[in-house]
């Protein structure tokens, strides 16, 4: 009967939708107007057989594929019977491919391009994106710059293929999300919202989906099994969300809404698969879903880093990111960081600063001294690295750093500082310190979580996440220390009678703090490792020997170490090398050098004008004006002697009388014999033993040990009286140390 009807009124197309939904309602129920369950299925069999026997008829029926659409036991029985019925006569249609889906959605939602100028605009956009992917291949997924992908962008225009891919691959895996209908519903809501807001993006990308729009948000959450509304509101989009907050805090991010676009992209790419074994999308895919031509790629990388640090529901594993409905350990770290006292953060930062061992060209580096007493008053160039609470701002004369530097420069403890020209300072920048403090407290928070991983019952993944975040915070500390300690504060006094001025210089680079500071100051001649003889002569003429004919070499070095209007030399070796170079020249133009000045004879002994010689900086040697030295040399020459007179020690130079040593020629009789031994004894202050022993070595031993053939022996005698007696422990330690140091005689007595 059905076949006759179809043949008579054909051709005919029979379309049946939701058949299972209808038949399942009849399962186990009798007496309904629609007939029984079995009667309906018998009709289905009769209909399919009739269509099969008819040449000009076709039947198309839709059968559900998911358990949700089947609907219970009745639906399962109905589906099985209908599948069996159709399987005997069916010709299965494959669902639309992703590429075909692009076309279906595009044609349903947009008018076709017909105008020539519209084709040109489309091609220009596609070319710009393709060029972006080609020139930055390492920043985007493999193949995105190839010709095939360019064709996909052209066919999907104005929707980016990456958005279609995420919807068809990840979102279609959800039971209730239909590949074509679900995409159409979502994209219709998205396009409407973008149109109303006047969005001017070149393509509709994952980053453009306005999740703060209620209709769009509903489409993105209605298929989920878990509640995602709070996740979106806090960590993804909407007023008060973390991305909006970050974009407002950082102008470079806010200009592009970079953080919000990053969070949207992560959600679109990861939400449907967040509970699977390998969730999330990598950083390349995130940039792929965000960046448009003409935008700096690095801005989105910065946004991703900041979001990962502060988002509550964002997970990170290596380079893969995803959102979940369960708070990550990031929230725990955030809470712990908020509870840290700023002084604890500073203490950890100081501890990190003190790990640096590189001194650059400084004799000493003093990292965050507790006070001026911790900075020695010695004649060697030293760098004082100020602490995090002693910040500086460009041009600020009243900064905390300046005040502390002035205090240390003026005093050492309760005493006036003498060698002020040996100090320079390095201070942190006030604006940069905040980011560094943040990295430190993040490191401390993640470190505390890892130390308590067992009491906290962390999973393997959470432990890995904590280790990754701790490592990232540690790297951030290293970089931000270099970015924060950038102000060198150098005291100077251009006018010897004027006030002290402070020269501030920005010191940047990736080297150790002391190394790059000394390098910068050397380039600017605020610290000198070399001083030419001509430069020394200029300093002497201008400041030091206006009314005198010579200067004691040791006193000259003390002047350089003390007075801020003189060049700042690294150490006394710089001055020694300068004097050595000056007397090594062929003509005495700058200065001369003598072993000592004989006050009674009013002459310089061991005088050297040119040609080179040995130089010592001590309390006897002197630097002489060139004209004064030349005058004495000329007088000696007129008398038939050699310039400079006797050498240190009072003996005549070999051959001074015209004969070789030991000759029999007629000369003046030999003078009285010279003393051949020296003995000295002095009591030393045990609390200042190191300094006093150093003075003895410099002012006494140095002169004796340089004499030809001299053998110098130094012994140290210790006598200690202990009224209450020495304990067994003290006796043991002292005795053992004496053995190690090879004391010849020692012992305790009653």
């Amino acid at each position: 009967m059905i076949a006759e009807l179809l043949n008579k009124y054909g051709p005919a197309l029979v379309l049946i939708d939701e058949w299972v939904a209808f038949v399942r309602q009849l399962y186990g129920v009798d007496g309904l107007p629609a007939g029984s369950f079995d009667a309906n299925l018998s009709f289905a069999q009769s209909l399919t057989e009739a269509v099969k026997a008819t040449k000009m008829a076709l039947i198309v029926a839709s059968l559900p594929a998911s358990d949700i659409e089947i609907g219970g036991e009745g639906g399962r029985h109905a589906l099985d019977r209908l599948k069996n019925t159709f399987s005997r006569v069916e010709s299965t249609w494959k669902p639309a491919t992703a590429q075909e889906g692009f076309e279906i959605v595009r044609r349903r939602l947009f008018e076709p391009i017909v105008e020539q100028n519209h084709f040109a605009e489309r091609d220009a956009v596609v070319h710009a994106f393709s060029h972006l992917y080609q020139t930055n291949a390492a920043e985007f997924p493999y193949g995105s710059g190839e010709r095939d992908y360019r064709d996909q962008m052209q066919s999907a225009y104005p929707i980016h293929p990456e958005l279609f891919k995420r919807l068809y691959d990840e979102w279609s895996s959800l039971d209730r999300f239909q590949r074509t209908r679900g995409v159409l519903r979502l994209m219709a809501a998205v396009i409407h919202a973008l149109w109303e807001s006047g969005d001017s993006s070149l393509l509709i990308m994952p980053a453009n989906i306005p999740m703060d729009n209620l209709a769009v948000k509903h489409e993105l959450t209605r298929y989920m099994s878990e509640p995602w509304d709070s996740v979106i509101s806090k960590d993804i989009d909407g007023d008060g969300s973390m991305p909006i907050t970050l974009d407002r805090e950082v102008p470079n991010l806010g200009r592009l809404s970079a953080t919000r676009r990053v969070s949207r992209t992560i959600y679109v790419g990861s939400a449907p698969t967040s509970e699977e074994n390998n969730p999330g999308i990598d950083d390349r895919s995130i940039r792929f879903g965000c960046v448009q031509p003409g935008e700096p790629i690095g801005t989105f990388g910065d946004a991703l880093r900041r979001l990962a640090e502060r988002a509550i529901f964002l997970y990170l594993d290596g380079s893969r990111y995803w959102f979940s409905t369960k708070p990550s350990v990031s929230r725990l770290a955030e809470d712990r960081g908020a509870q840290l006292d700023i002084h604890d953060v500073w203490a950890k930062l100081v501890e990190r600063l003190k790990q640096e061992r590189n001194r650059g060209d400084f004799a000493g580096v003093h990292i965050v001294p507790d006070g001026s007493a911790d900075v020695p008053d010695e004649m060697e160039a030293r760098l004082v690295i100020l602490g995090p609470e002693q910040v500086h701002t460009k041009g600020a004369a009243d900064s905390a750093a300046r005040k502390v530097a002035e205090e240390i420069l003026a005093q050492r403890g309760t005493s006036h500082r003498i060698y002020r020209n040996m100090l320079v300072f390095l201070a942190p920048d006030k604006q940069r310190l905040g980011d560094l403090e943040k990295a430190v407290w993040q490191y401390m928070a993640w470190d505390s979580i890892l130390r308590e991983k067992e009491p906290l019952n962390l999973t393997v993944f959470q432990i890995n996440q904590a280790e990754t975040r701790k490592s990232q915070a540690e790297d951030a500390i290293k970089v931000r220390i270099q970015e924060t300690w950038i102000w060198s504060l150098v005291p100077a006094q251009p006018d010897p009678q004027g006030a002290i001025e402070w020269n501030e210089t920005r010191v940047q680079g990736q080297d150790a703090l002391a190394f790059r500071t000394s390098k910068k100051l050397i380039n600017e001649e605020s610290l000198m490792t070399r001083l030419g003889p001509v430069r020394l002569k200029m300093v002497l003429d201008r400041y030091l020997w206006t009314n005198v004919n010579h200067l004691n070499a040791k006193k000259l070095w003390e002047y350089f170490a003390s007075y801020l209007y003189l060049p700042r030399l690294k150490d006394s070796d710089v001055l020694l090398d300068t004097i050595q170079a000056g007397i090594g020249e062929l003509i005495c133009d700058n200065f001369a050098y003598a072993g000592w000045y004989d006050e009674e004879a009013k002459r310089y002994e061991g005088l050297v004008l040119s040609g080179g010689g040995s130089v010592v900086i001590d309390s006897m040697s002197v630097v002489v004006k060139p004209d004064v030295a030349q005058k004495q040399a000329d007088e000696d020459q007129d008398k038939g002697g050699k310039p400079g007179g006797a050498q240190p020690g009072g003996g005549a130079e070999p051959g001074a009388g015209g004969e070789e040593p030991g000759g029999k020629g007629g000369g003046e009789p030999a003078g009285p014999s010279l003393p051949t031994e020296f003995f000295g004894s002095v009591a030393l202050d045990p609390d200042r033993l190191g300094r006093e022993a150093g003075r003895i070595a410099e002012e006494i031993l140095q002169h004796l040990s340089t004499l030809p053939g001299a053998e110098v022996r130094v012994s140290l005698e210790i006598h200690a009286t202990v009224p209450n007696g020495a304990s067994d422990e003290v006796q043991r330690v002292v005795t053992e140390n004496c053995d190690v140091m090879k004391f010849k005689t020692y012992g305790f007595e009653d």
Side-chain angles (χ1 to χ4, degrees):
M1 181 109 179
I2 297 176
E4 293 178 3
L5 183 63
L6 294 173
N7 282 326
K8 182 176 181 180
Y9 295 101
L13 173 62
V14 181
L15 301 176
I16 304 178
D17 194 16
E18 304 291 351
W19 206 347
V20 171
F22 174 75
V23 176
R24 72 186 178 201
Q25 300 180 62
L26 307 177
Y27 184 73
V29 181
D30 295 324
L32 296 176
S36 65
F37 179 81
D38 291 332
N40 273 268
L41 293 176
S42 297
F43 170 73
Q45 183 172 354
S46 300
L47 178 60
T48 55
E49 291 292 344
V51 171
K52 180 181 179 181
T54 305
K55 294 181 179 180
M56 299 182 68
L58 182 67
I59 181 173
V60 178
S62 64
L63 300 179
S66 65
D67 291 337
I68 295 176
E69 293 179 276
I70 292 171
E73 182 182 359
R76 171 60 61 189
H77 282 280
L79 178 62
D80 291 341
R81 294 279 295 274
L82 287 172
K83 278 186 175 181
N84 290 333
T85 299
F86 277 90
S87 63
R88 295 181 291 106
V89 296
E90 71 177 345
S91 176
T92 304
W93 284 14
K94 294 181 180 179
T97 64
Q99 192 72 23
E100 292 170 339
F102 297 173
E103 282 292 316
I104 294 172
V105 173
R106 187 176 63 81
R107 292 185 181 186
R108 290 283 299 272
L109 298 176
F110 293 98
E111 293 287 343
I113 298 176
V114 293
E115 299 292 338
Q116 189 63 35
N117 61 320
H118 292 167
F119 280 108
E121 291 172 358
R122 179 199 66 182
D123 294 342
V125 169
V126 171
H127 174 76
F129 272 92
S130 183
H131 180 71
L132 171 67
Y133 301 147
Q134 288 173 357
T135 54
N136 301 277
E139 303 290 338
F140 299 102
Y142 176 77
S144 56
E146 301 296 331
R147 176 73 186 188
D148 289 345
Y149 201 79
R150 180 172 179 170
D151 293 341
Q152 290 185 41
M153 286 192 288
Q154 199 169 46
S155 63
Y157 181 85
I159 300 173
H160 197 290
E162 174 69 4
L163 177 54
F164 273 136
K165 177 179 179 294
R166 294 299 171 188
L167 296 177
Y168 275 87
D169 290 353
E170 279 78 24
W171 286 80
S172 64
S173 65
L174 299 174
D175 287 337
R176 293 186 293 173
F177 190 89
Q178 296 175 311
R179 289 173 63 93
T180 302
R181 187 179 301 175
V183 173
L184 276 171
R185 285 176 58 96
L186 173 61
M187 291 308 302
V190 168
I191 293 166
H192 179 71
L194 294 177
W195 179 266
E196 284 192 330
S197 64
D199 189 278
S200 58
S201 300
L202 298 177
L203 291 178
I204 302 175
M205 307 172 71
N208 299 115
I209 296 182
M211 300 183 190
D212 55 340
N213 181 276
L214 293 178
V216 175
K217 185 177 181 180
H218 174 70
E219 289 297 324
L220 288 170
T221 57
R222 65 193 294 250
Y223 308 105
M224 300 293 196
S225 58
E226 298 287 342
W228 282 86
D229 285 11
S230 61
V231 177
I232 294 175
S233 300
K234 291 181 179 179
D235 276 357
I236 301 172
D237 205 350
D239 290 338
S241 65
M242 182 59 66
I244 297 294
T245 302
L246 285 171
D247 283 339
R248 288 172 179 167
E249 290 177 355
V250 185
N252 283 343
L253 303 182
R255 183 170 54 87
L256 300 174
S257 296
T259 315
R260 177 160 56 167
R261 288 163 64 181
V262 164
S263 63
R264 289 171 174 177
T265 303
I266 297 174
Y267 179 84
V268 172
S270 68
T273 59
S274 61
E275 303 302 324
E276 295 184 0
N277 293 331
N278 189 31
I281 57 176
D282 60 21
D283 51 356
R284 290 188 178 190
S285 297
I286 295 171
R287 289 190 289 269
F288 198 45
C290 291
V291 184
Q292 297 196 62
E295 296 176 337
I297 300 174
T299 300
F300 294 90
D302 184 32
L304 177 60
R305 177 182 61 79
R306 293 175 184 270
L307 182 66
E309 290 174 353
R310 297 176 61 175
I312 299 172
F313 297 96
L314 181 62
Y315 283 74
L316 167 62
D317 185 13
S319 63
R320 298 186 67 83
Y321 299 79
W322 70 94
F323 283 109
S324 174
T325 56
K326 301 175 183 177
S328 66
V329 285
S330 298
R331 181 53 182 265
L332 178 59
E334 187 85 15
D335 292 341
R336 292 199 171 191
Q339 296 172 9
L340 289 171
D341 186 88
I342 188 61
H343 294 91
D344 295 331
V345 175
W346 286 348
K348 176 61 69 172
L349 179 53
V350 171
E351 179 185 321
R352 182 60 59 94
L353 286 172
K354 290 184 176 181
Q355 292 177 4
E356 288 203 13
R357 295 291 180 264
N358 191 314
R359 296 188 305 181
D361 282 292
F362 295 105
V365 178
H366 306 280
I367 301 175
V368 194
D370 292 332
S372 62
D374 290 343
V375 182
D377 189 15
E378 297 180 359
M379 292 188 289
E380 295 175 312
R382 296 176 178 274
L383 173 67
V384 180
I385 299 179
L386 301 178
E389 68 274 25
Q390 296 151 358
V391 294
H392 182 70
T393 303
K394 183 178 181 180
D398 60 345
S399 69
R402 273 282 298 273
K403 292 178 181 178
V404 172
E406 289 170 353
E407 177 186 345
I408 295 175
L409 185 70
Q411 293 179 283
R412 188 200 175 193
T414 57
S415 303
H416 289 292
R417 187 172 297 276
I418 299 173
Y419 306 121
R420 297 186 299 171
N421 204 32
M422 293 289 94
L423 294 185
V424 294
F425 302 84
L426 186 67
D429 181 74
K430 184 177 182 180
Q431 301 300 323
R432 301 288 185 92
L433 183 63
D435 287 340
L436 175 57
E437 290 171 344
K438 178 180 176 182
V440 174
W441 72 248
Q442 286 177 339
Y443 173 85
M444 295 174 67
W446 288 111
D447 183 60
S448 70
I449 289 173
L450 286 172
R451 284 189 278 107
E452 300 175 21
K453 58 186 176 183
E454 292 182 1
L456 292 173
N457 196 27
L458 299 183
T459 64
V460 174
F461 170 75
Q462 289 174 322
I463 293 173
N464 291 337
Q465 183 184 16
E467 289 175 344
T468 299
R469 296 292 293 277
K470 177 185 173 182
S471 177
Q472 290 176 339
E474 188 168 15
D475 292 341
I477 291 173
K478 293 177 183 177
V479 173
R480 293 178 188 176
I481 283 177
Q482 306 296 333
E483 296 174 346
T484 303
W485 265 263
I486 59 173
W487 292 114
S488 69
L489 302 177
V490 182
Q493 194 174 11
D495 181 0
Q497 304 301 321
I500 296 175
E501 297 180 2
W502 288 86
N503 299 324
E504 60 181 41
T505 305
R506 184 184 292 270
V507 181
Q508 295 177 308
Q510 298 302 316
D511 297 311
L513 296 179
F515 179 84
R516 62 190 176 100
T517 302
S518 64
K519 183 178 178 181
K520 179 71 172 180
L521 296 183
I522 289 171
N523 289 338
E524 297 187 347
E525 294 192 343
S526 295
L527 175 67
M528 306 187 73
T529 57
R530 296 181 62 187
L531 183 70
V534 175
R535 180 76 175 271
L536 176 57
K537 173 68 160 46
M538 293 171 61
V539 173
L540 292 171
D541 289 344
R542 181 176 181 182
Y543 298 112
L544 301 178
W545 63 14
T546 306
N547 301 316
V548 296
N549 292 331
H550 66 267
L551 284 173
N552 173 258
K554 182 180 179 183
K555 182 60 69 175
L556 176 59
W557 169 235
E558 290 179 355
Y559 289 159
F560 274 104
S562 303
Y563 298 125
L564 294 172
Y565 53 82
L566 299 180
R568 181 175 291 101
L569 307 185
K570 173 185 175 183
D571 52 31
S572 60
D573 288 342
V574 179
L575 179 60
L576 188 147
D577 292 343
T578 304
I579 299 173
Q580 193 90 46
I583 65 174
E585 296 177 346
L586 296 177
I587 301 176
C588 180
D589 285 335
N590 300 309
F591 49 81
Y593 169 83
W596 76 92
Y597 179 66
D598 189 333
E599 289 284 353
E600 293 183 1
K602 301 299 182 184
R603 61 179 282 107
Y604 299 98
E605 302 296 339
L607 181 65
V608 181
L609 287 79
S610 60
S614 177
V615 174
V616 176
I617 295 180
D618 58 17
S619 58
M620 297 182 64
S621 58
V622 291
V623 178
V624 188
K625 282 185 175 180
D627 54 341
V628 174
Q630 189 63 53
K631 180 180 178 181
Q632 176 176 313
D634 293 341
E635 292 174 353
D636 290 347
Q637 192 71 30
D638 293 340
K639 294 177 182 179
K642 296 185 68 176
Q647 298 300 310
E653 290 187 6
E659 295 282 341
E660 292 294 327
K664 297 181 181 180
E668 295 185 6
S673 61
L674 300 175
T676 58
E677 293 203 16
F678 168 82
F679 173 80
S681 176
V682 63
L684 302 179
D685 184 350
D687 294 330
R688 302 168 62 89
L689 180 60
R691 175 174 293 185
E692 294 188 358
R695 290 186 59 196
I696 292 172
E698 179 182 350
E699 299 183 11
I700 298 175
L701 295 180
Q702 177 176 284
H703 297 288
L704 295 173
S705 61
T706 56
L707 294 175
E711 294 183 6
V712 179
R713 295 186 302 276
V714 179
S715 62
L716 176 65
E717 181 179 324
I718 302 174
H719 180 78
T721 301
V722 187
N724 296 327
S727 66
D728 293 339
E729 176 65 17
V730 172
Q731 293 182 50
R732 181 186 64 79
V733 171
V734 172
T735 301
E736 290 178 356
N737 290 342
C738 287
D739 287 337
V740 172
M741 301 180 71
K742 299 182 180 179
F743 273 52
K744 288 186 177 180
T745 58
Y746 60 88
F748 288 88
E749 296 180 358
D750 294 333

